Amino acid sequence: GGGGGGGGGDETAVDAEESDDEAAVAAEMCFWCTGLQHERGNATLFACDFCDHWCCEGCIRSNLGESEVADVQSADPWRCYRCDATPITQLVERCEALQRKRQRQQQ
């Protein structure tokens, strides 16, 4: 892995009926975009050194900027954004504020 940090979250259980090959492919997918960025050519994945989650360079760049990409690339070990949410705290707070605003507008 390499990089910046993220918060604790739910682990995705792999269906017991999946083959080992299917589970391996699912495990090597960005937990943020679930592969959407990969289809756009942003296929560089970073593996968390503390759990089984991956995050792609495209998601890191588009959500947190180029400096966070550099931090992830140089970090050894790297904690994903589920293991250490510090880098995404402001994003989460903005999202929650927008959700509250939208709920008030719908009332």
Side-chain angles (χ1 to χ4, degrees):
D10 297 331
E11 297 264 327
T12 302
V14 175
D15 187 342
E17 296 177 11
E18 283 185 335
S19 71
D20 290 340
D21 290 341
E22 289 171 327
V25 169
E28 293 182 14
M29 182 178 291
C30 176
F31 70 83
W32 206 328
C33 71
T34 63
L36 181 62
Q37 291 281 354
H38 312 191
E39 295 170 8
R40 296 180 180 159
N42 296 313
T44 301
L45 288 166
F46 299 101
C48 181
D49 292 311
F50 297 89
C51 75
D52 293 333
H53 290 104
W54 297 69
C55 193
C56 73
E57 184 175 345
C59 283
I60 297 167
R61 180 175 286 111
S62 63
N63 290 288
L64 300 168
E66 194 63 43
S67 64
E68 180 67 13
V69 172
D71 289 347
V72 172
Q73 290 171 332
S74 65
D76 187 20
W78 177 62
R79 290 183 191 273
C80 74
Y81 304 109
R82 289 181 176 212
C83 291
D84 176 11
T86 305
I88 64 169
T89 300
Q90 288 183 335
L91 289 175
V92 171
E93 290 170 355
R94 272 189 280 178
C95 180
E96 290 171 349
L98 288 170
Q99 288 174 335
R100 287 190 300 272
K101 181 179 178 181
R102 178 173 286 157
Q103 287 174 349
R104 284 191 302 268
Q105 290 174 343
Q106 291 176 351
Q107 293 176 353

XYZ file of all heavy atoms in Angstrom:
807
model
N 0.828 -1.191 0.000
C 0.000 0.000 0.000
C 0.847 1.218 0.000
O 2.029 1.177 -0.189
N 0.253 2.352 0.185
C 0.989 3.575 0.357
C 0.007 4.653 0.662
O -1.036 4.671 0.120
N 0.119 5.510 1.587
C -0.580 6.737 1.664
C -1.318 7.179 2.859
O -1.108 6.759 3.937
N -2.226 7.978 2.729
C -2.858 8.856 3.658
C -3.842 8.423 4.644
O -4.058 8.346 5.239
N -4.916 8.058 4.920
C -5.631 7.546 6.044
C -7.107 7.529 5.825
O -7.581 8.232 5.019
N -7.879 6.759 6.539
C -9.324 6.722 6.386
C -10.024 6.050 7.529
O -9.403 5.428 8.345
N -11.306 6.149 7.594
C -12.039 5.797 8.785
C -12.581 4.402 8.832
O -12.770 3.751 7.841
N -12.837 3.937 10.013
C -13.384 2.622 10.228
C -14.745 2.503 9.579
O -15.532 3.414 9.619
N -15.024 1.361 8.978
C -16.303 1.198 8.311
C -16.687 -0.253 8.239
O -16.032 -1.115 8.799
N -17.755 -0.503 7.566
C -18.262 -1.859 7.440
C -17.407 -2.660 6.480
O -17.041 -2.182 5.422
C -19.696 -1.849 6.897
C -20.650 -1.155 7.833
O -20.407 -1.170 9.054
O -21.633 -0.602 7.339
N -17.105 -3.875 6.878
C -16.400 -4.783 5.998
C -17.425 -5.424 5.075
O -18.524 -5.756 5.505
C -15.699 -5.865 6.813
C -14.644 -5.328 7.750
C -13.264 -5.390 7.150
O -13.005 -6.321 6.380
O -12.481 -4.504 7.438
N -17.078 -5.585 3.800
C -17.997 -6.219 2.873
C -17.736 -7.712 2.894
O -16.648 -8.166 2.596
C -17.784 -5.674 1.446
O -17.979 -4.274 1.488
C -18.746 -6.306 0.476
N -18.725 -8.467 3.258
C -18.585 -9.912 3.309
C -18.679 -10.475 1.903
O -19.546 -10.093 1.131
C -19.671 -10.520 4.186
N -17.782 -11.366 1.578
C -17.810 -12.016 0.276
C -18.797 -13.170 0.363
O -18.770 -13.968 1.288
C -16.406 -12.531 -0.111
C -16.454 -13.304 -1.410
C -15.443 -11.367 -0.210
N -19.698 -13.248 -0.588
C -20.691 -14.311 -0.628
C -19.987 -15.661 -0.622
O -19.064 -15.907 -1.396
C -21.532 -14.150 -1.898
C -22.707 -15.111 -1.943
O -22.714 -16.118 -1.217
O -23.618 -14.830 -2.728
N -20.439 -16.547 0.244
C -19.807 -17.857 0.381
C -19.868 -18.663 -0.906
O -19.067 -19.576 -1.101
C -20.465 -18.630 1.517
N -20.797 -18.328 -1.799
C -20.928 -19.070 -3.050
C -19.926 -18.619 -4.107
O -19.764 -19.278 -5.119
C -22.349 -18.936 -3.587
C -23.386 -19.563 -2.666
C -24.800 -19.370 -3.175
O -24.967 -18.932 -4.331
O -25.733 -19.641 -2.415
N -19.263 -17.491 -3.885
C -18.282 -17.021 -4.865
C -17.065 -17.938 -4.870
O -16.635 -18.431 -3.836
C -17.795 -15.609 -4.525
C -18.749 -14.521 -4.877
C -18.153 -13.142 -4.638
O -17.242 -12.997 -3.811
O -18.607 -12.224 -5.309
N -16.484 -18.098 -6.042
C -15.266 -18.893 -6.129
C -14.106 -18.064 -5.579
O -14.204 -16.864 -5.403
C -14.977 -19.268 -7.582
O -14.564 -18.123 -8.307
N -12.980 -18.722 -5.320
C -11.804 -18.009 -4.831
C -11.350 -16.956 -5.826
O -10.924 -15.874 -5.441
C -10.659 -18.987 -4.554
C -10.930 -19.864 -3.336
O -11.788 -19.484 -2.506
O -10.297 -20.924 -3.216
N -11.424 -17.254 -7.134
C -11.027 -16.289 -8.160
C -11.923 -15.064 -8.130
O -11.442 -13.934 -8.219
C -11.069 -16.920 -9.556
C -9.971 -17.948 -9.761
O -8.974 -17.927 -9.011
O -10.116 -18.770 -10.686
N -13.240 -15.257 -8.005
C -14.169 -14.123 -7.950
C -13.911 -13.283 -6.712
O -13.959 -12.068 -6.758
C -15.618 -14.623 -7.957
C -16.047 -15.200 -9.290
C -17.404 -15.878 -9.207
O -17.720 -16.451 -8.138
O -18.121 -15.832 -10.212
N -13.633 -13.925 -5.586
C -13.362 -13.198 -4.348
C -12.083 -12.377 -4.483
O -12.020 -11.234 -4.014
C -13.246 -14.167 -3.176
N -11.071 -12.936 -5.138
C -9.811 -12.209 -5.312
C -10.015 -10.983 -6.183
O -9.483 -9.916 -5.891
C -8.747 -13.126 -5.926
N -10.791 -11.113 -7.254
C -11.060 -9.972 -8.125
C -11.837 -8.904 -7.366
O -11.532 -7.722 -7.440
C -11.827 -10.417 -9.396
C -12.340 -9.213 -10.170
C -10.923 -11.269 -10.273
N -12.848 -9.304 -6.596
C -13.644 -8.350 -5.826
C -12.788 -7.651 -4.785
O -12.971 -6.466 -4.511
C -14.819 -9.065 -5.165
N -11.840 -8.368 -4.194
C -10.994 -7.787 -3.160
C -10.076 -6.724 -3.740
O -9.730 -5.774 -3.052
C -10.178 -8.877 -2.477
N -9.678 -6.857 -4.988
C -8.773 -5.903 -5.615
C -9.557 -4.857 -6.391
O -9.295 -4.587 -7.549
C -7.767 -6.627 -6.509
C -6.809 -7.485 -5.723
C -5.782 -8.181 -6.580
O -5.639 -7.814 -7.757
O -5.125 -9.082 -6.077
N -10.528 -4.234 -5.726
C -11.357 -3.204 -6.334
C -11.464 -2.048 -5.351
O -11.584 -2.255 -4.155
C -12.740 -3.765 -6.649
C -13.650 -2.761 -7.330
S -15.258 -3.477 -7.732
C -14.792 -4.614 -9.027
N -11.441 -0.855 -5.866
C -11.553 0.332 -5.038
C -12.865 0.316 -4.259
O -13.940 0.181 -4.841
C -11.479 1.571 -5.919
S -11.709 3.133 -5.036
N -12.783 0.468 -2.945
C -14.009 0.473 -2.128
C -14.801 1.754 -2.314
O -15.976 1.822 -1.974
C -13.694 0.254 -0.636
C -12.994 1.395 0.053
C -13.713 2.472 0.535
C -11.628 1.371 0.225
C -13.070 3.526 1.180
C -10.976 2.412 0.866
C -11.704 3.492 1.337
N -14.167 2.794 -2.872
C -14.835 4.084 -3.031
C -15.705 4.092 -4.290
O -16.874 4.424 -4.238
C -13.783 5.178 -3.106
C -14.205 6.544 -2.664
C -15.447 7.113 -2.764
C -13.384 7.517 -2.040
N -15.429 8.384 -2.252
C -14.178 8.663 -1.799
C -12.036 7.551 -1.678
C -13.676 9.820 -1.209
C -11.553 8.694 -1.093
C -12.359 9.819 -0.863
N -15.126 3.730 -5.426
C -15.866 3.792 -6.700
C -16.309 2.423 -7.190
O -16.994 2.338 -8.206
C -15.015 4.467 -7.769
S -13.613 3.484 -8.357
N -15.921 1.378 -6.515
C -16.196 -0.011 -6.906
C -15.868 -0.298 -8.363
O -16.574 -1.030 -9.039
C -17.658 -0.426 -6.588
O -18.555 0.388 -7.347
C -17.964 -0.327 -5.109
N -14.798 0.300 -8.846
C -14.295 0.004 -10.178
C -14.614 1.016 -11.250
O -14.083 0.931 -12.353
N -15.462 2.003 -10.979
C -15.845 2.978 -11.990
C -14.633 3.739 -12.532
O -14.491 3.915 -13.739
C -16.868 3.964 -11.419
C -17.371 5.039 -12.382
C -18.095 4.394 -13.562
C -18.291 6.010 -11.668
N -13.746 4.180 -11.644
C -12.544 4.904 -12.079
C -11.627 3.996 -12.897
O -10.952 4.455 -13.805
C -11.777 5.458 -10.872
C -12.474 6.560 -10.143
C -12.339 7.915 -10.826
O -11.630 8.090 -11.817
N -13.035 8.888 -10.280
N -11.605 2.724 -12.592
C -10.751 1.779 -13.314
C -11.158 1.757 -14.788
O -10.315 1.709 -15.672
C -10.866 0.364 -12.745
C -10.753 0.292 -11.257
N -10.613 -0.886 -10.599
C -10.777 1.243 -10.288
C -10.559 -0.666 -9.305
N -10.662 0.613 -9.091
N -12.468 1.804 -15.016
C -12.982 1.788 -16.388
C -12.604 3.056 -17.140
O -12.605 3.077 -18.354
C -14.501 1.614 -16.366
C -14.938 0.275 -15.809
C -16.436 0.193 -15.558
O -17.171 1.116 -15.952
O -16.863 -0.809 -14.950
N -12.293 4.112 -16.421
C -11.897 5.390 -17.027
C -10.382 5.504 -17.167
O -9.868 6.570 -17.454
C -12.420 6.548 -16.183
C -13.929 6.617 -16.138
C -14.384 7.772 -15.300
N -15.838 7.832 -15.268
C -16.527 8.460 -14.341
N -15.906 9.101 -13.364
N -17.836 8.469 -14.382
N -9.660 4.431 -16.912
C -8.217 4.425 -17.084
C -7.431 4.784 -15.845
O -6.218 4.913 -15.890
N -8.099 4.962 -14.714
C -7.415 5.268 -13.452
C -7.279 3.984 -12.645
O -7.897 3.801 -11.614
C -8.220 6.303 -12.645
C -8.306 7.625 -13.351
O -7.311 8.141 -13.826
N -9.501 8.177 -13.438
N -6.457 3.077 -13.162
C -6.445 1.722 -12.624
C -5.422 1.491 -11.520
O -5.362 0.395 -10.977
C -6.210 0.723 -13.752
N -4.606 2.470 -11.170
C -3.634 2.255 -10.107
C -4.369 2.094 -8.783
O -5.116 2.961 -8.363
C -2.642 3.430 -10.010
O -1.972 3.569 -11.255
C -1.624 3.198 -8.909
N -4.164 0.952 -8.148
C -4.812 0.649 -6.873
C -3.790 0.634 -5.751
O -2.665 0.176 -5.937
C -5.497 -0.713 -6.934
C -6.752 -0.806 -7.773
C -7.121 -2.265 -8.015
C -7.888 -0.080 -7.085
N -4.207 1.116 -4.589
C -3.370 1.089 -3.397
C -4.021 0.166 -2.383
O -5.200 0.329 -2.065
C -3.211 2.487 -2.803
C -2.558 3.456 -3.742
C -3.323 4.365 -4.451
C -1.189 3.441 -3.927
C -2.728 5.256 -5.329
C -0.581 4.323 -4.806
C -1.357 5.234 -5.514
N -3.264 -0.807 -1.895
C -3.769 -1.759 -0.909
C -3.453 -1.256 0.486
O -2.330 -0.833 0.773
C -3.122 -3.128 -1.118
N -4.445 -1.315 1.355
C -4.242 -0.955 2.748
C -3.330 -1.995 3.396
O -3.476 -3.186 3.158
C -5.579 -0.898 3.481
S -5.431 -0.430 5.215
N -2.406 -1.524 4.207
C -1.504 -2.432 4.902
C -2.107 -2.975 6.198
O -1.467 -3.772 6.884
C -0.177 -1.719 5.199
C 0.605 -1.424 3.930
O 0.765 -2.344 3.104
O 1.038 -0.271 3.747
N -3.345 -2.553 6.522
C -3.957 -2.947 7.791
C -5.280 -3.687 7.630
O -5.831 -4.183 8.610
C -4.152 -1.713 8.675
C -2.834 -1.071 9.022
C -2.288 -0.095 8.209
C -2.124 -1.480 10.134
C -1.064 0.479 8.509
C -0.894 -0.918 10.441
C -0.361 0.064 9.622
N -5.829 -3.716 6.417
C -7.069 -4.457 6.160
C -7.046 -4.925 4.708
O -6.040 -4.789 4.029
C -8.304 -3.583 6.451
S -8.656 -2.317 5.203
N -8.154 -5.437 4.235
C -8.218 -5.991 2.879
C -8.780 -5.018 1.851
O -9.124 -5.424 0.752
C -9.075 -7.264 2.871
C -8.423 -8.391 3.648
O -7.187 -8.414 3.749
O -9.163 -9.248 4.167
N -8.889 -3.736 2.183
C -9.481 -2.762 1.262
C -8.444 -2.128 0.352
O -7.268 -2.024 0.693
C -10.223 -1.680 2.046
C -11.461 -2.196 2.690
N -11.546 -2.471 4.028
C -12.660 -2.519 2.161
C -12.743 -2.940 4.300
N -13.438 -2.981 3.188
N -8.933 -1.696 -0.803
C -8.119 -1.046 -1.815
C -8.755 0.295 -2.144
O -9.964 0.471 -2.025
C -8.084 -1.886 -3.092
C -7.445 -3.228 -2.928
C -7.922 -4.293 -2.233
C -6.204 -3.643 -3.483
N -7.070 -5.353 -2.322
C -5.996 -4.988 -3.089
C -5.252 -3.025 -4.277
C -4.874 -5.713 -3.454
C -4.144 -3.753 -4.650
C -3.955 -5.072 -4.243
N -7.958 1.242 -2.614
C -8.471 2.529 -3.077
C -7.695 2.905 -4.334
O -6.482 2.712 -4.406
C -8.307 3.599 -2.002
S -9.236 5.105 -2.357
N -8.397 3.437 -5.331
C -7.716 3.748 -6.592
C -7.208 5.191 -6.607
O -7.730 6.069 -5.917
C -8.619 3.468 -7.787
S -9.970 4.626 -8.037
N -6.200 5.402 -7.405
C -5.592 6.717 -7.540
C -6.593 7.750 -8.036
O -6.587 8.900 -7.599
C -4.403 6.631 -8.502
C -3.644 7.917 -8.651
C -2.404 7.770 -9.506
O -1.955 6.628 -9.757
O -1.861 8.808 -9.921
N -7.486 7.358 -8.943
C -8.480 8.288 -9.470
C -9.393 8.845 -8.395
O -9.696 10.034 -8.378
N -9.844 7.985 -7.486
C -10.717 8.448 -6.395
C -9.963 9.358 -5.430
O -10.495 10.366 -4.973
C -11.305 7.262 -5.639
S -12.667 6.471 -6.525
N -8.743 8.979 -5.123
C -7.950 9.803 -4.214
C -7.725 11.180 -4.832
O -7.939 12.206 -4.180
C -6.612 9.121 -3.877
C -6.873 7.806 -3.130
C -5.723 10.055 -3.060
C -5.653 6.913 -3.018
N -7.340 11.208 -6.106
C -7.062 12.480 -6.781
C -8.323 13.339 -6.886
O -8.296 14.524 -6.560
C -6.488 12.230 -8.172
C -6.181 13.518 -8.935
C -5.502 13.276 -10.273
N -4.116 12.886 -10.019
C -3.627 11.659 -10.237
N -4.398 10.702 -10.723
N -2.366 11.376 -9.963
N -9.439 12.769 -7.308
C -10.637 13.573 -7.543
C -11.281 14.046 -6.238
O -11.933 15.086 -6.224
C -11.650 12.817 -8.399
O -12.112 11.662 -7.748
N -11.106 13.314 -5.151
C -11.736 13.686 -3.891
C -10.813 14.425 -2.926
O -11.291 15.238 -2.128
C -12.299 12.445 -3.194
C -13.490 11.888 -3.922
O -14.554 12.473 -3.903
N -13.314 10.762 -4.590
N -9.517 14.138 -2.983
C -8.598 14.688 -1.987
C -7.414 15.453 -2.580
O -6.682 16.100 -1.845
C -8.080 13.567 -1.082
C -9.177 12.834 -0.308
C -8.625 11.569 0.329
C -9.794 13.744 0.726
N -7.208 15.358 -3.883
C -6.174 16.145 -4.535
C -4.858 15.424 -4.741
O -4.607 14.339 -4.225
N -4.028 16.074 -5.527
C -2.737 15.503 -5.927
C -1.799 15.300 -4.745
O -1.037 14.330 -4.703
C -2.074 16.419 -6.970
C -0.912 15.787 -7.695
C -1.319 14.576 -8.525
O -2.351 14.633 -9.209
O -0.590 13.567 -8.502
N -1.843 16.193 -3.754
C -0.928 16.045 -2.610
C -1.242 14.782 -1.817
O -0.333 14.113 -1.310
C -0.962 17.273 -1.706
O -2.236 17.431 -1.122
N -2.521 14.413 -1.723
C -2.879 13.176 -1.025
C -2.416 11.965 -1.816
O -1.964 10.977 -1.233
C -4.387 13.101 -0.775
C -4.831 11.857 -0.050
C -4.353 11.755 1.393
O -3.863 12.748 1.972
O -4.479 10.651 1.966
N -2.475 12.041 -3.157
C -1.956 10.945 -3.982
C -0.471 10.743 -3.666
O -0.017 9.615 -3.458
C -2.162 11.204 -5.488
C -1.446 10.146 -6.329
C -3.643 11.226 -5.831
N 0.271 11.841 -3.598
C 1.703 11.751 -3.285
C 1.926 11.164 -1.890
O 2.831 10.345 -1.694
C 2.352 13.129 -3.395
N 1.086 11.553 -0.930
C 1.202 11.002 0.422
C 0.955 9.500 0.433
O 1.668 8.744 1.096
C 0.206 11.676 1.373
C 0.571 13.111 1.702
O 1.706 13.539 1.406
O -0.302 13.808 2.254
N -0.054 9.073 -0.313
C -0.377 7.641 -0.381
C 0.779 6.879 -1.031
O 1.179 5.818 -0.557
C -1.689 7.410 -1.153
C -1.936 5.924 -1.401
C -2.865 8.016 -0.404
N 1.318 7.423 -2.114
C 2.405 6.756 -2.825
C 3.647 6.590 -1.952
O 4.360 5.601 -2.071
C 2.761 7.526 -4.100
C 1.694 7.432 -5.157
C 1.925 8.357 -6.332
O 2.546 9.416 -6.204
N 1.387 7.978 -7.478
N 3.895 7.549 -1.066
C 5.112 7.495 -0.263
C 4.920 6.831 1.101
O 5.896 6.511 1.770
C 5.680 8.899 -0.075
O 4.778 9.695 0.678
N 3.692 6.630 1.520
C 3.436 6.066 2.850
C 3.805 4.587 2.894
O 3.495 3.820 1.999
C 1.972 6.233 3.221
N 4.478 4.212 3.942
C 4.822 2.820 4.153
C 4.942 2.594 5.648
O 5.933 3.003 6.240
C 6.137 2.473 3.453
C 6.433 0.982 3.506
O 5.495 0.194 3.730
O 7.604 0.608 3.338
N 3.949 2.056 6.271
C 2.730 1.460 5.725
C 1.644 2.503 5.473
O 1.712 3.623 5.980
C 2.285 0.502 6.836
C 2.746 1.169 8.090
C 4.039 1.873 7.724
N 0.617 2.106 4.702
C -0.513 2.991 4.405
C -1.783 2.452 5.043
O -2.074 1.262 4.974
C -0.726 3.107 2.897
C -1.925 3.946 2.544
C -2.105 5.261 2.843
C -3.093 3.537 1.832
N -3.323 5.702 2.359
C -3.949 4.655 1.731
C -3.507 2.336 1.274
C -5.189 4.608 1.108
C -4.738 2.289 0.645
C -5.558 3.418 0.557
N -2.551 3.338 5.662
C -3.870 3.009 6.213
C -4.919 3.603 5.279
O -4.904 4.802 5.023
C -4.056 3.612 7.601
C -3.215 2.982 8.666
C -3.521 3.603 10.035
N -2.554 3.196 11.013
C -2.643 2.079 11.739
N -3.687 1.288 11.588
N -1.710 1.763 12.593
N -5.829 2.762 4.815
C -6.886 3.236 3.931
C -7.824 4.178 4.680
O -7.705 4.353 5.896
C -7.664 2.059 3.339
S -8.780 1.235 4.505
N -8.787 4.744 3.966
C -9.696 5.730 4.551
C -10.767 5.094 5.428
O -11.504 5.800 6.104
C -10.309 6.588 3.443
C -9.219 7.226 2.624
C -8.970 6.811 1.318
C -8.403 8.198 3.171
C -7.937 7.359 0.590
C -7.362 8.756 2.445
C -7.139 8.326 1.159
O -6.108 8.866 0.434
N -10.828 3.788 5.435
C -11.702 3.088 6.381
C -10.948 2.855 7.685
O -11.546 2.871 8.752
C -12.189 1.769 5.801
C -13.190 1.977 4.690
C -13.684 0.661 4.152
N -14.720 0.917 3.163
C -15.735 0.114 2.958
N -15.858 -0.991 3.640
N -16.626 0.419 2.049
N -9.665 2.615 7.605
C -8.855 2.393 8.806
C -8.484 3.711 9.492
O -8.315 3.739 10.702
C -7.590 1.621 8.450
S -7.902 -0.098 7.961
N -8.331 4.774 8.734
C -8.016 6.097 9.286
C -8.742 7.154 8.460
O -8.314 7.508 7.372
C -6.509 6.344 9.257
C -6.123 7.740 9.729
O -6.990 8.462 10.280
O -4.955 8.116 9.549
N -9.834 7.671 8.984
C -10.688 8.614 8.248
C -10.198 10.048 8.297
O -10.825 10.926 7.707
C -12.109 8.542 8.787
N -9.089 10.307 8.944
C -8.623 11.683 9.112
C -8.598 12.473 7.803
O -9.124 13.591 7.764
C -7.235 11.702 9.788
O -7.320 10.972 11.007
C -6.773 13.117 10.059
N -8.029 11.955 6.710
C -7.984 12.741 5.474
C -9.347 13.036 4.855
O -9.475 13.968 4.068
C -7.137 11.887 4.522
C -6.326 11.025 5.407
C -7.218 10.746 6.592
N -10.364 12.254 5.182
C -11.674 12.478 4.567
C -12.673 13.136 5.514
O -13.842 13.310 5.165
C -12.263 11.170 3.984
C -12.537 10.148 5.074
C -11.377 10.624 2.883
C -13.352 8.957 4.597
N -12.229 13.549 6.682
C -13.129 14.140 7.674
C -13.898 15.330 7.114
O -15.115 15.439 7.291
C -12.346 14.552 8.932
O -11.731 13.383 9.473
C -13.244 15.175 9.976
N -13.216 16.236 6.422
C -13.898 17.412 5.866
C -14.917 17.008 4.806
O -15.994 17.598 4.723
C -12.896 18.404 5.290
C -12.109 19.119 6.365
C -11.156 20.151 5.783
O -10.732 20.039 4.631
N -10.833 21.156 6.575
N -14.600 16.021 3.986
C -15.555 15.544 2.984
C -16.802 14.984 3.643
O -17.922 15.256 3.210
C -14.921 14.465 2.100
C -13.858 14.890 1.106
C -13.275 13.663 0.409
C -14.419 15.860 0.103
N -16.614 14.198 4.686
C -17.744 13.603 5.396
C -18.602 14.699 6.014
O -19.841 14.675 5.908
C -17.251 12.603 6.465
C -18.383 12.146 7.367
C -16.569 11.408 5.810
N -17.970 15.693 6.632
C -18.722 16.785 7.256
C -19.510 17.580 6.220
O -20.664 17.938 6.449
C -17.773 17.702 8.032
C -17.216 17.052 9.286
C -16.103 17.840 9.937
O -15.667 18.884 9.377
O -15.647 17.424 11.014
N -18.899 17.864 5.068
C -19.613 18.583 3.998
C -20.787 17.778 3.475
O -21.865 18.311 3.233
C -18.665 18.917 2.847
C -17.946 20.250 3.047
C -17.219 20.632 1.808
N -15.973 19.850 1.807
C -15.070 19.858 0.870
N -15.240 20.584 -0.203
N -13.991 19.145 0.961
N -20.577 16.485 3.295
C -21.638 15.616 2.810
C -22.808 15.596 3.789
O -23.968 15.723 3.385
C -21.093 14.202 2.602
S -22.319 13.026 2.001
N -22.506 15.464 5.069
C -23.568 15.441 6.081
C -24.323 16.770 6.117
O -25.545 16.788 6.248
C -22.984 15.109 7.444
C -22.525 13.659 7.539
C -21.736 13.349 8.796
O -21.352 14.289 9.534
O -21.488 12.155 9.052
N -23.604 17.884 5.978
C -24.250 19.197 5.963
C -25.179 19.334 4.752
O -26.294 19.853 4.874
C -23.201 20.312 5.964
N -24.734 18.867 3.591
C -25.574 18.923 2.396
C -26.799 18.033 2.537
O -27.891 18.401 2.092
C -24.763 18.526 1.160
C -23.727 19.549 0.696
C -22.822 18.943 -0.377
C -24.403 20.801 0.192
N -26.629 16.884 3.159
C -27.775 15.991 3.367
C -28.798 16.638 4.300
O -30.004 16.554 4.052
C -27.307 14.648 3.932
C -26.586 13.805 2.913
C -25.993 12.547 3.512
O -25.705 12.476 4.713
N -25.787 11.537 2.675
N -28.327 17.288 5.375
C -29.244 17.975 6.286
C -29.979 19.103 5.569
O -31.191 19.274 5.737
C -28.487 18.524 7.504
C -28.061 17.458 8.494
C -27.529 18.065 9.781
N -26.377 18.917 9.579
C -25.100 18.512 9.568
N -24.823 17.238 9.757
N -24.124 19.368 9.379
N -29.258 19.855 4.738
C -29.873 20.955 3.994
C -30.935 20.420 3.053
O -32.039 20.975 2.953
C -28.788 21.706 3.204
C -29.322 22.874 2.423
C -28.203 23.594 1.697
C -28.728 24.735 0.875
N -27.656 25.433 0.140
N -30.633 19.339 2.351
C -31.589 18.741 1.420
C -32.836 18.246 2.171
O -33.953 18.430 1.710
C -30.948 17.601 0.652
C -31.928 16.920 -0.306
C -31.276 15.918 -1.180
N -30.500 16.648 -2.182
C -29.470 16.134 -2.831
N -29.086 14.912 -2.600
N -28.841 16.832 -3.745
N -32.646 17.641 3.329
C -33.788 17.170 4.111
C -34.668 18.330 4.556
O -35.894 18.222 4.512
C -33.290 16.381 5.333
C -32.738 15.031 4.992
C -32.115 14.327 6.180
O -31.903 14.914 7.235
N -31.780 13.055 5.998
N -34.067 19.443 4.967
C -34.859 20.617 5.378
C -35.648 21.170 4.192
O -36.790 21.589 4.339
C -33.943 21.695 5.963
C -33.463 21.406 7.365
C -32.795 22.613 7.990
N -31.669 23.097 7.241
C -30.396 22.738 7.425
N -30.085 21.860 8.355
N -29.435 23.252 6.689
N -35.042 21.182 3.015
C -35.720 21.698 1.820
C -36.888 20.813 1.418
O -37.855 21.301 0.847
C -34.721 21.812 0.669
C -33.702 22.904 0.856
C -32.637 22.901 -0.230
O -32.460 21.919 -0.948
N -31.901 23.997 -0.329
N -36.806 19.529 1.690
C -37.871 18.609 1.309
C -39.031 18.617 2.285
O -40.089 18.091 1.978
C -37.305 17.186 1.181
C -36.367 17.033 0.004
C -35.735 15.651 -0.053
O -35.854 14.854 0.867
N -35.045 15.375 -1.156
N -38.852 19.229 3.450
C -39.921 19.254 4.463
C -40.933 20.321 4.193
O -40.754 21.307 3.642
C -39.323 19.429 5.859
C -38.516 18.231 6.273
C -37.832 18.450 7.617
O -37.847 19.529 8.183
N -37.210 17.407 8.117
